[in-house]
């Protein structure tokens, strides 16, 4: 997979859309957390409360999960551009198997997920030490496993987006279909299902990986709902990622490029 990633990197390093979307994700995260931390509450900056270790990690990952659509759109664009410019066909002519094509894109998914997770880790350390210097960084890594769950969640989102892109081939259509399913269709289906079943649906399982720091308040307003714990959600999400990659391969295998 390392050699496949090197080939993908040759395309990405000169691809402005890749860098623009990554920069957009990173910029939005920084701007939001900076602005949120500098809000004045009773004469004190909110960051002094929100960005205390170790609860900071749950706040950061939960809010960051709302921007998962950006890396998902990035993967859709990368896959559909391969059809637009017929580079998938050229790679097969050059001797790559269709499994290699999926593995290459999956390597990109892992790379983007790792880069964004590392960025969030550094962001958390920076904000935590800035807003609570008196703590001396005590307990800064106590809840840091939230970053790992966030990484798994990113891989899940982008793997699903990759499958949708391979299925539909057209950038705009694939983005609309992914947004429709993730934001509307699955939720409509969940309303018709008992919690004991719908908690295993792809988007709800992925959402359970990153906990809401205000879960109790949310349940008071919206009513109690059954969710998997992050550890419990890891198994179905990993299974979904494997399924999405397998289906992506099957789509490529059965279709002409």
């Amino acid at each position: 997979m390392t050699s496949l990633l090197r080939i993908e990197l040759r395309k990405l390093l000169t691809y402005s859309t890749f860098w623009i979307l990554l920069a957009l994700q990173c910029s939005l995260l920084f701007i939001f957390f900076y602005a949120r931390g500098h809000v004045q509450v009773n004469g004190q900056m909110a960051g002094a409360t929100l960005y205390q270790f170790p609860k900071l990690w749950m706040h950061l990952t939960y809010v960051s999960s709302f921007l998962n659509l950006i890396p998902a759109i990035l993967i859709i664009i990368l896959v559909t551009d391969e059809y637009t410019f017929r580079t998938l066909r050229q790679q097969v002519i050059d001797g790559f198997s269709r499994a290699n094509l999926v593995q290459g894109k999956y390597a990109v998914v892992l790379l983007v997920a790792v880069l964004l997770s590392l960025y969030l880790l550094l962001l958390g350390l920076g904000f935590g030490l800035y807003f609570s210097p008196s703590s001396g960084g005590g307990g800064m890594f106590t809840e840091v496993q939230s970053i790992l769950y966030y990484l798994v969640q990113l891989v899940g989102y982008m793997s699903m987006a990759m499958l949708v892109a391979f299925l539909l081939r057209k950038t705009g259509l694939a983005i609309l279909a992914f947004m429709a399913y993730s934001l509307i269709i699955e939720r409509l289906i969940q309303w018709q299902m008992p919690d004991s079943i719908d908690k295993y649906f792809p988007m709800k399982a992925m959402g359970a990986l990153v906990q809401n720091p205000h879960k109790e308040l949310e349940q008071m307003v919206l009513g109690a709902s059954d969710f998997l714990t992050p550890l419990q959600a890891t198994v179905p999400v990993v299974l979904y990622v494997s399924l999405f990659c397998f289906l992506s391969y099957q789509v490529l295998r059965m279709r002409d490029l």
Side-chain angles (χ1 to χ4, degrees):
M1 186 174 284
T2 305
S3 60
L4 293 171
L5 180 58
R6 284 201 297 267
I7 292 170
E8 293 294 329
L9 284 175
R10 289 176 189 171
K11 305 175 192 175
L12 297 178
L13 291 177
T14 57
Y15 190 42
S16 59
T17 302
F18 175 78
W19 296 109
I20 289 170
L21 288 177
L22 273 187
L24 177 64
Q25 173 90 351
C26 294
S27 300
L28 287 175
L29 287 173
F30 178 83
I31 291 169
F32 179 82
F33 290 126
Y34 179 84
R36 191 182 188 208
H38 283 77
V39 172
Q40 294 286 329
V41 179
N42 296 325
Q44 185 181 27
M45 287 192 295
T49 302
L50 293 174
Y51 300 146
Q52 289 280 340
F53 296 115
K55 273 227 156 188
L56 167 145
W57 301 116
M58 190 183 295
H59 280 284
L60 258 64
T61 53
Y62 178 71
V63 173
S64 299
S65 68
F66 288 98
L67 292 178
N68 286 348
L69 190 60
I70 296 176
I73 288 174
L74 172 60
I75 295 301
I76 288 173
I77 292 173
L78 293 179
V79 172
T80 53
D81 276 359
E82 299 277 17
Y83 285 105
T84 301
F85 300 111
R86 300 186 180 275
T87 46
L88 289 178
R89 177 181 295 180
Q90 186 59 50
Q91 284 181 278
V92 171
I93 293 172
D94 291 341
F96 289 91
S97 69
R98 295 175 190 241
N100 290 150
L101 301 182
V102 175
Q103 289 168 357
K105 286 295 176 283
Y106 184 63
V108 174
V109 165
L110 291 177
L111 175 66
V112 172
V114 169
L115 289 176
L116 291 177
S117 298
L118 287 175
Y119 175 75
L120 195 62
L121 174 65
L122 294 175
L123 208 60
L125 291 174
F127 279 114
L129 293 173
Y130 176 78
F131 283 104
S132 53
S134 59
S135 70
M140 67 168 64
F141 294 115
T142 303
E143 299 285 343
V144 77
Q145 69 269 17
S146 296
I147 298 291
L148 295 177
Y149 290 130
Y150 173 71
L151 187 151
V152 176
Q153 186 187 65
L154 276 175
V155 172
Y157 267 80
M158 289 188 285
S159 298
M160 178 183 282
M162 181 177 71
L163 173 59
V164 173
F166 277 124
L167 276 170
L168 300 180
R169 302 186 182 187
K170 302 295 184 183
T171 304
L173 184 60
I175 291 173
L176 286 174
F178 180 80
M179 292 177 63
Y181 179 81
S182 60
L183 300 176
I184 301 172
I185 296 173
E186 183 173 306
R187 296 185 184 187
L188 292 175
I189 298 172
Q190 287 174 12
W191 287 340
Q192 307 301 318
M193 296 286 183
D195 285 346
S196 58
I197 295 175
D198 74 22
K199 65 183 178 181
Y200 293 103
F201 278 38
M203 303 310 298
K204 192 167 185 178
M206 291 179 206
L209 286 167
V210 175
Q211 291 185 312
N212 184 350
H214 309 293
K215 184 192 298 184
E216 295 80 8
L217 178 61
E218 180 186 59
Q219 291 188 344
M220 285 177 58
V221 175
L222 301 177
S225 181
D226 191 12
F227 286 90
L228 298 171
T229 65
L231 186 59
Q232 291 170 336
T234 301
V235 174
V237 171
V238 169
L239 291 175
Y240 276 125
V241 169
S242 302
L243 177 63
F244 296 150
C245 291
F246 174 74
L247 292 177
S248 296
Y249 165 70
Q250 292 299 322
V251 169
L252 271 182
R253 187 177 65 85
M254 293 186 293
R255 282 182 172 177
D256 292 332
L257 297 176

